[in-house]
């Protein structure tokens, strides 16, 4: 192993590394990295720059502050467009819809006569800079989303006077009934309902202000999703454990700017020709007691956001800090600098950068990141579907199997704070989930549906609209009828958060209450065998095996993982009763099942999908791999590596993209070339019908496919850094042909910075330095 260094690399050395051919993954350890990115201009591949305008929203770029997102583009006529979205803009039928859109026109047209154009997304600033025109007819725009407030700023300047005209884009002009079939799939909780699904029109209220205002409001007379769901699923008796998150939810926009006057109720214009301007669009969403209440709050935010320069400084500071959390620099070895390996290294790094950016743009909202596009979906015209921008495949519900992928890579990226929306949503629905467990199964504790509404119920179509002859606990969808792995994996993710942060408040206020509730469900719901072990029955092994399943591996692996980790918590952090409970649950966990199989022509023991199951496939997931990822019972530095590798080799389905996590498993098993191959596939998954390079998918879901992007991050991180207990495994699955210089986080508030060149670790810094003794160099195949 190279000599440990306790001092950060010099600025000069860092810049030399970049100039020497490294690709820059924009998660940097200091302000030096931001300067390094800047030094690469104008050829910097990690700032997205276009030199032609776009035809439509398929040519848009995403921007956001974690809650508010926009899809921004300039058309060939020189108009600026953007759609506006939020994580919580849920309609009366529980559909996640856009807040709306905006169009800004300039007179004269700066792009007339094929004038020059450049649009540059400046990642380290969280800002998009657009230049249109030439010489005395050049317009420059800066667009950004305020990092702390629901405010979009558009700041412009011109070399000659122009007129500026701004208006909302509205497609919800009349009440709309979602048609049965594909259109209703964008309202997953309510699709196939035996009654019409109607969304109200947006409202453009009259106001004396020089502002354009619009809103969508879920009035009681039309809000049907929550009350019909509670009634259908026989939850009225415990409805007081939850509140209706849709009723009176109001979202919309308040658009204004100094020197702008209202033309009519739906547009504003500069009072006179101008050379500079600043517009802002305020887009709050909350459960307002009245429409007037929402308007007053929108106006208050708009007035407070008048100083765009202060907002820009604050936003740039946040993004700089974000990129300082962690970083990765990659390139091929000098021998491969002119070969395909150089392009591969650049592609991988670019994919890592842009997905890290997407995580930040959409990961700090009221609700978690949506796997099927996040908040950056646009109308699906490019996919030959006839719907408006409110449509997305697979709708608004949260599939645990998909949602988890955006959150597993957050601890190593130093972004445990962005896990809060996920934990908060499940914490908020804990009372209704505990109440349902008691009502349906006379059990204590909680379980979570796989396809869950934001208030904790099943999707109604999955639960079953026709209840004739069915008891309340009869879930009709065979895909997830008896799947129980969601709760254990949620607790495992919370344990990851604890491992990395050692946050005592998180432990007591969130982790332990959730862990106890999840484990109580298993303790009281399932019988014990003669050996004292739980017998999970009825059961299924995710979507793949439905028939004859007992003790499915995803759930069993999860229970073994979390009970062992809970028992390993320092004794002074647990009450004696909690410790006894965790120890008892650990003792009652069945073992992960194994079976005989022929692998590479030889009989070998492999991990089985369940202790008992009928080999009738219903989907393409490999449930036996859960014991490797996400639960890490097997892998490099752990027992049973040969069996786990044989299991991976014997898997039925090979899943390189979307929610497929083969890359994560390959990395955990130290399969360097396989992990690298999959990572390259992931980074090449950009959809050619869209201009934004990180428009992954749609794969199994929708685009931009965020569970694909989350897996991309997770695979790359696991190739670079893993941990087993307090041991930190360095480069356990990194290919020798890629030089890399990275900074990632490890448990116990540890940061690892490593420079790996030409097959050698040339610099290594571990913070705190007391953790250096725990680092194990795994960079050579012989070490595995």
């Amino acid at each position: 192993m190279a000599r440990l260094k306790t001092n950060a690399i010099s600025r000069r050395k860092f810049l030399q590394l970049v100039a020497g051919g490294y690709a820059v993954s924009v998660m940097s350890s200091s302000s030096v990295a931001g300067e390094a990115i800047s030094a690469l201009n104008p050829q910097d591949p990690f700032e997205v720059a276009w030199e032609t305008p776009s035809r439509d929203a398929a040519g848009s770029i995403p921007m956001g502050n974690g809650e508010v997102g926009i899809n921004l583009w300039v058309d060939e006529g020189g108009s600026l467009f953007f759609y506006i979205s939020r994580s919580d803009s849920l309609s009366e039928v529980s559909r996640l819809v856009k807040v709306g859109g905006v169009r800004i026109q300039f007179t004269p047209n700066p792009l007339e006569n094929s004038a020059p154009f450049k649009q540059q997304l400046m990642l380290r600033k969280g800002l998009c800079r657009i230049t249109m025109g030439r010489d005395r007819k050049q317009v420059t725009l800066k667009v950004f989303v305020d990092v702390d407030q629901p405010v979009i700023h558009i700041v412009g300047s011109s070399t000659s006077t122009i007129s500026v005209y701004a208006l909302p884009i509205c497609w919800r002009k009349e009440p709309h009934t979602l048609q049965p079939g594909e259109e209703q799939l964008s309202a997953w909780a309510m699709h196939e309902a035996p009654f019409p699904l109607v969304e109200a029109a947006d409202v453009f209220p009259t106001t004396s202000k020089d502002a354009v205002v619009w809103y969508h409001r879920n009035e009681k007379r039309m809000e049907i999703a929550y009350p019909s769901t509670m009634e259908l699923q026989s939850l009225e008796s415990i409805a007081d454990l939850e509140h209706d998150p849709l009723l009176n939810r109001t979202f919309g926009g308040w658009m204004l700017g100094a020197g702008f006057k209202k033309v009519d109720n739906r547009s504003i214009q500069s009072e006179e020709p101008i050379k500079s301007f600043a517009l802002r669009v305020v887009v709050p969403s909350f459960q307002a007691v009245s429409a007037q209440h929402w308007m007053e709050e929108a106006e208050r935010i708009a007035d407070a956001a008048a100083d765009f320069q202060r907002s820009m400084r604050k936003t740039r500071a946040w993004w700089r800090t974000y990129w300082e959390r962690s970083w990765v620099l990659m390139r091929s070895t000098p021998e491969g600098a002119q070969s395909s390996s150089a392009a591969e290294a650049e592609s991988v790094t670019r994919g890592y950068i842009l997905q890290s950016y997407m995580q930040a743009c959409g990961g700090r909202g009221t609700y978690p990141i949506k796997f099927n596009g996040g908040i950056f979906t646009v109308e699906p015209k490019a996919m030959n579907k006839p719907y408006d921008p409110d449509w997305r495949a697979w709708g608004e519900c949260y599939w645990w199997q998909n949602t988890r992928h955006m959150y597993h890579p957050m601890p190593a990226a130093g972004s445990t704070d962005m896990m809060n929306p996920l934990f908060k949503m499940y914490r908020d629905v804990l009372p209704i989930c505990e109440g349902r467990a008691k009502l349906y199964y006379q059990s204590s504790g909680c379980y979570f549906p796989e396809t869950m509404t934001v208030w904790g119920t099943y999707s109604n179509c999955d639960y079953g609209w026709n209840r004739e002859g069915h008891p309340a606990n009869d879930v009709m969808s065979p895909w997830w009828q008896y799947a129980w792995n969601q709760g254990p994996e949620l607790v495992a993710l919370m344990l990851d958060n604890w491992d990395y942060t050692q946050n005592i408040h998180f432990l007591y206020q969130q982790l332990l209450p959730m862990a106890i509730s999840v484990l109580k469900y298993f303790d009281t719901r399932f019988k014990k065998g003669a050996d004292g072990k739980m017998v999970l029955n009825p059961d299924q092994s995710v979507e793949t095996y439905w028939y004859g399943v007992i003790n499915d591996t995803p759930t069993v692996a999860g229970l073994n993982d979390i009970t062992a980790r809970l028992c390993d918590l320092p004794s002074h952090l647990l009450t004696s009763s909690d410790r006894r409970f965790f120890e008892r649950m650990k003792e009652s966990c069945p073992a992960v099942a194994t079976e005989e199989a022929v692998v590479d022509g030889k009989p070998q023991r492999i991990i089985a999908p369940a202790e008992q199951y009928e080999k009738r496939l219903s989907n393409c997931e490999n449930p036996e791999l859960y014991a490797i990822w996400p639960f890490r019972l097997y892998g490099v530095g752990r027992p049973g590596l040969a069996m786990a590798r044989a299991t991976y080799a014997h898997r039925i389905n090979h899943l390189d993209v979307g929610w497929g996590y083969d890359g994560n498993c390959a990395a955990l098993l130290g399969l360097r070339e396989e992990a690298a191959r999959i990572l390259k596939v992931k980074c090449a998954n950009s959809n050619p019908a869209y201009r934004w390079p990180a428009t992954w998918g749609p794969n199994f879901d929708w685009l931009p496919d965020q569970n694909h992007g989350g897996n991309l991050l997770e695979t790359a991180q696991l190739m670079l850094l893993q941990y087993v207990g307090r041991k930190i495994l360095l480069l356990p699955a990194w290919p020798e042909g890629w030089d890399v210089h990275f900074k990632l986080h490890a448990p116990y508030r540890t940061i690892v910075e490593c420079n790996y060149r030409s097959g050698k670790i040339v610099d290594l810094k571990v913070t705190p330095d007391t953790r250096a003794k725990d680092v194990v160099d795994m960079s050579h195949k012989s070490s595995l």
Side-chain angles (χ1 to χ4, degrees):
M1 184 187 297
R3 177 173 60 92
L4 298 179
K5 298 187 68 176
T6 57
N7 295 316
I9 61 171
S10 68
R11 167 179 167 171
R12 180 179 179 183
K13 184 175 181 181
F14 188 98
L15 294 175
Q16 286 174 341
L17 288 170
V18 175
Y22 278 95
V24 180
S25 175
V26 285
M27 300 198 83
S28 62
S29 62
S30 70
S31 60
V32 171
E35 293 169 9
I37 294 168
S38 199
L40 289 175
N41 284 333
Q43 287 79 34
D44 175 13
F46 309 105
E47 290 182 351
V48 178
W50 297 333
E51 295 188 352
T52 58
S54 299
R55 288 191 300 271
D56 53 31
S60 64
I61 63 166
M63 301 182 71
N65 67 0
E67 172 64 272
V68 175
I70 64 173
N71 283 81
L72 175 77
W73 76 99
V74 175
D75 77 351
E76 295 162 342
S79 290
L80 177 75
F81 293 83
F82 54 89
Y83 292 144
I84 308 166
S85 53
R86 293 182 56 106
S87 76
D88 59 354
S89 51
L90 291 159
S91 77
E92 46 272 85
V93 299
S94 189
R95 197 162 67 127
L96 184 60
V97 299
K98 298 292 184 189
V99 173
V102 168
R103 178 180 184 179
I104 302 175
Q105 299 172 269
F106 309 97
T107 305
N109 175 8
L111 288 184
E112 63 184 1
N113 300 321
S114 302
F117 172 87
K118 186 169 185 179
Q119 177 175 317
Q120 184 181 22
L121 176 62
M122 307 168 78
L123 294 170
R124 66 190 178 98
K125 298 180 179 180
L127 178 136
C128 184
R129 187 176 189 272
I130 300 166
T131 304
M132 300 184 284
R134 58 168 64 89
D135 303 329
R136 296 182 180 180
K137 294 184 178 181
Q138 187 177 82
V139 174
T140 300
L141 305 173
K142 294 180 180 179
V143 183
F144 64 97
V145 184
D146 184 290
V147 71
D148 290 328
Q149 297 295 326
V151 183
I152 303 144
H153 289 276
I154 309 96
V155 181
S157 63
S158 177
T159 54
S160 60
T161 58
I162 55 172
S163 293
V164 182
Y165 179 75
L167 68 162
I169 305 168
C170 179
W171 52 90
R172 295 188 295 263
K173 298 177 181 179
E174 298 177 351
H176 176 64
T177 300
L178 274 65
Q179 295 304 302
E182 189 176 56
E183 187 180 18
Q184 286 194 6
L185 296 182
S186 62
W188 190 264
M190 300 299 292
H191 79 283
E192 300 183 12
F195 47 79
L197 301 181
V198 183
E199 291 174 334
D202 288 355
V203 177
F204 285 77
T206 300
T207 172
S208 60
K209 309 292 183 180
D210 280 315
V212 171
V213 183
W214 78 94
Y215 63 81
H216 188 97
R217 180 169 170 81
N218 300 337
E219 299 281 3
K220 186 173 183 178
R221 61 186 176 82
M222 293 189 67
E223 198 275 281
I224 57 173
Y226 179 86
S228 63
T229 299
M230 299 300 281
E231 179 182 1
L232 178 75
Q233 299 184 24
S234 301
L235 300 175
E236 302 103 317
S237 64
I238 57 172
D240 60 338
L241 299 176
E242 182 58 277
H243 81 284
D244 182 346
L246 306 180
L247 181 61
N248 296 328
R249 180 161 294 280
T250 311
F251 50 88
W254 184 289
M255 180 167 62
L256 76 165
F260 282 77
K261 289 290 186 182
K262 189 158 56 177
V263 177
D264 52 36
N265 218 34
R266 300 194 180 201
S267 61
I268 56 175
Q269 186 171 8
S270 53
E271 292 184 84
E272 57 187 12
I274 53 178
K275 285 193 171 184
S276 63
F277 69 93
L279 285 167
R280 59 194 183 277
V281 187
V282 174
V283 290
S285 172
F286 59 97
Q287 291 181 271
V289 296
S290 65
Q292 183 62 34
H293 176 207
W294 180 89
M295 292 175 64
E296 290 170 356
E297 178 64 9
E299 183 178 12
R300 183 194 66 77
I301 298 171
D303 290 345
D307 187 351
F308 73 85
Q309 292 179 330
R310 177 178 177 274
S311 179
M312 186 182 296
R313 289 193 299 270
K314 181 178 57 174
T315 299
R316 290 177 63 172
W318 187 90
W319 279 100
R320 178 177 290 274
T321 300
Y322 176 71
W323 296 125
E324 289 172 357
R325 294 178 177 188
S326 62
W327 46 266
V328 177
L329 310 173
M330 292 171 50
R331 71 168 188 177
S332 62
T333 58
E335 294 78 9
Q338 303 303 318
S339 70
S340 61
S341 62
E344 290 168 352
E346 180 175 315
S347 171
V348 167
T349 308
R350 184 181 181 88
Y352 191 93
I353 293 165
L354 296 182
Q355 186 58 36
S356 298
Y357 170 77
M358 294 289 280
Q359 296 265 104
C361 285
R364 300 193 302 144
T366 301
Y367 294 118
I369 300 170
K370 286 291 287 126
F371 67 95
N372 50 342
I375 51 175
F376 298 109
T377 55
V378 298
E379 69 269 22
K381 181 171 63 174
M383 301 302 291
N384 298 312
K385 295 183 184 295
Y387 308 115
D388 62 34
D390 290 336
W391 191 89
R392 70 174 70 215
W394 302 102
E396 82 298 343
C397 283
Y398 283 90
W399 270 252
W400 173 259
Q401 195 267 8
N402 303 82
T403 303
R404 60 190 178 143
H405 293 294
M406 293 80 77
Y407 291 90
H408 276 283
M410 287 182 179
S415 294
T416 52
D417 58 312
M418 294 201 321
M419 302 174 84
N420 291 336
L422 178 74
F423 297 155
K424 182 179 185 301
M425 181 178 75
Y426 281 92
R427 187 171 70 249
D428 287 349
V429 303
L430 189 60
I432 197 78
C433 292
E434 290 177 334
R436 178 181 53 229
K438 186 174 183 179
L439 187 67
Y440 284 8
Y441 303 119
Q442 298 75 53
S443 300
S444 299
C446 74
Y447 73 95
F448 300 108
E450 171 60 24
T451 54
M452 193 179 82
T453 66
V454 298
W455 59 93
T457 64
Y458 290 93
S459 156
N460 289 315
C461 185
D462 293 335
Y463 179 73
W465 285 105
N466 183 0
R467 305 307 301 174
E468 185 176 354
H470 296 283
N473 63 7
D474 192 355
V475 179
M476 306 301 292
S477 172
W479 301 98
W480 290 108
Q481 186 177 25
Y482 298 125
W484 312 116
N485 55 285
Q486 299 82 9
E489 189 174 349
L490 174 64
V491 174
L493 262 177
M494 298 179 86
L495 282 161
D496 288 349
N497 186 295
W498 159 254
D499 286 344
Y500 279 78
T501 65
Q502 300 291 288
N503 185 324
I504 199 73
H505 296 291
F506 175 80
L507 176 72
Y508 287 130
Q509 296 173 8
Q510 298 190 50
L511 168 54
L512 290 178
M514 182 63 74
I516 290 169
S517 185
V518 166
L519 290 173
K520 278 184 176 179
Y521 175 73
F522 288 94
D523 189 36
T524 58
R525 172 76 170 84
F526 298 103
K527 296 178 180 179
K528 308 293 191 301
D531 58 358
K533 305 294 186 181
M534 282 183 285
V535 179
L536 304 184
N537 185 23
D539 195 14
Q540 67 186 86
S541 200
V542 291
E543 293 190 15
T544 306
Y545 297 102
W546 298 351
Y547 306 103
V549 176
I550 294 177
N551 289 345
D552 71 285
T553 290
T555 306
V556 168
L559 290 170
N560 276 277
D561 174 47
I562 65 173
T563 54
R565 294 167 72 183
L566 289 164
C567 288
D568 284 343
L569 289 170
S571 58
H572 68 277
L573 296 179
L574 297 176
T575 66
S576 58
S577 61
D578 286 349
R579 178 165 293 282
R580 286 193 301 271
F581 175 63
F582 294 148
E583 290 172 346
R584 181 168 62 80
M585 290 303 297
K586 180 182 177 182
E587 288 299 314
S588 69
C589 287
V592 173
T594 62
E595 61 187 4
E596 290 288 336
V598 177
V599 184
D600 296 330
K602 298 181 295 185
Q604 297 188 51
R605 204 76 189 165
I606 63 170
I607 304 166
E611 183 178 318
Q612 296 181 31
Y613 68 104
E614 293 182 21
K615 295 185 177 182
R616 296 162 60 185
L617 291 172
S618 299
N619 207 341
C620 60
E621 191 171 5
N622 301 298
E624 65 274 16
L625 296 186
Y626 272 65
I628 302 167
W629 188 93
F631 294 119
R632 304 192 298 268
L633 299 182
Y634 302 93
V636 173
R638 303 175 190 272
L641 177 60
M643 182 177 68
R645 285 180 168 176
T647 303
Y648 182 82
H650 190 260
R651 71 197 188 283
I652 295 174
N653 300 294
H654 292 222
L655 303 169
D656 294 348
V657 299
W659 49 255
Y661 39 87
D662 283 14
N664 304 341
C665 293
L668 285 164
L669 297 175
L671 303 175
R672 299 177 193 278
E673 299 308 318
E674 170 73 348
R677 179 194 68 78
I678 294 172
L679 186 57
K680 288 184 289 186
V681 170
K682 290 183 182 298
C683 293
N685 189 241
S686 181
N687 191 303
Y690 293 81
R691 204 170 184 184
W692 173 246
T695 306
W696 320 119
N699 302 317
F700 305 102
D701 300 306
W702 196 236
L703 67 183
D705 182 350
Q706 293 306 286
N707 48 191
H708 175 93
N711 270 328
L712 185 161
L713 298 178
E714 175 80 345
T715 297
Q717 292 172 359
L718 291 173
M719 291 167 67
L720 292 165
L721 205 68
Q722 298 175 28
Y723 69 97
V724 179
R726 295 192 69 93
K727 291 295 182 183
I728 299 170
L729 310 185
L730 190 63
L731 302 166
W734 194 256
E736 295 184 23
W738 286 350
D739 288 359
V740 64
H741 185 206
F742 70 89
K743 171 187 174 183
L744 289 172
H745 294 243
Y748 304 103
R749 301 179 183 175
T750 304
I751 299 173
V752 177
E753 299 181 27
C754 177
N755 181 11
Y756 176 74
R757 304 193 71 175
S758 301
K760 297 180 180 179
I761 298 172
V762 298
D763 285 300
L764 181 64
K765 178 191 174 187
V766 181
T767 307
D769 55 10
T770 55
R771 288 277 277 146
K773 67 181 184 302
D774 297 323
V775 175
V776 180
D777 179 4
M778 308 288 285
S779 60
H780 298 290
K781 291 182 180 178
S782 59
S783 65
L784 301 182

